Amino acid sequence: MTADEMKSVVNRLRRAQGQIAGIIRMIEEGRDCEDVVTQLSAASRALDRAGFAIIATGLQHCLSEQDPLLAGDRDEMRARLEKLFLSLA
């Protein structure tokens, strides 16, 4: 990943980290369940977006450069990428 790509992903993860800290405080304060679940959903989306950004960046690099992943069997590459996507599903 380039420095800019890494910065974007790290910012997303820091945002999620802040959301999770807020969720913990909400639970400790006995906040409404609906509010907690709403914030859990937002944190989950932030983590998903970070994961998808990492995968998308990896795909971009694989398709634009001579990557060892491309040198191998295309079926193996497809299976590895599919596994990555499914790990976030």
Side-chain angles (χ1 to χ4, degrees), residues 5-44:
E5 293 164 338
M6 182 77 70
K7 184 178 178 181
S8 175
V9 169
V10 169
N11 285 341
R12 287 180 189 271
L13 291 172
R14 285 196 175 123
R15 192 174 311 123
Q17 183 179 33
Q19 288 173 315
I20 292 168
I23 293 165
I24 292 169
R25 278 192 306 277
M26 291 173 74
I27 292 170
E28 290 173 343
E29 294 169 358
R31 296 275 300 271
D32 182 64
C33 181
E34 187 175 342
D35 293 338
V36 171
V37 171
T38 299
Q39 290 305 309
L40 278 171
S41 176
S44 178

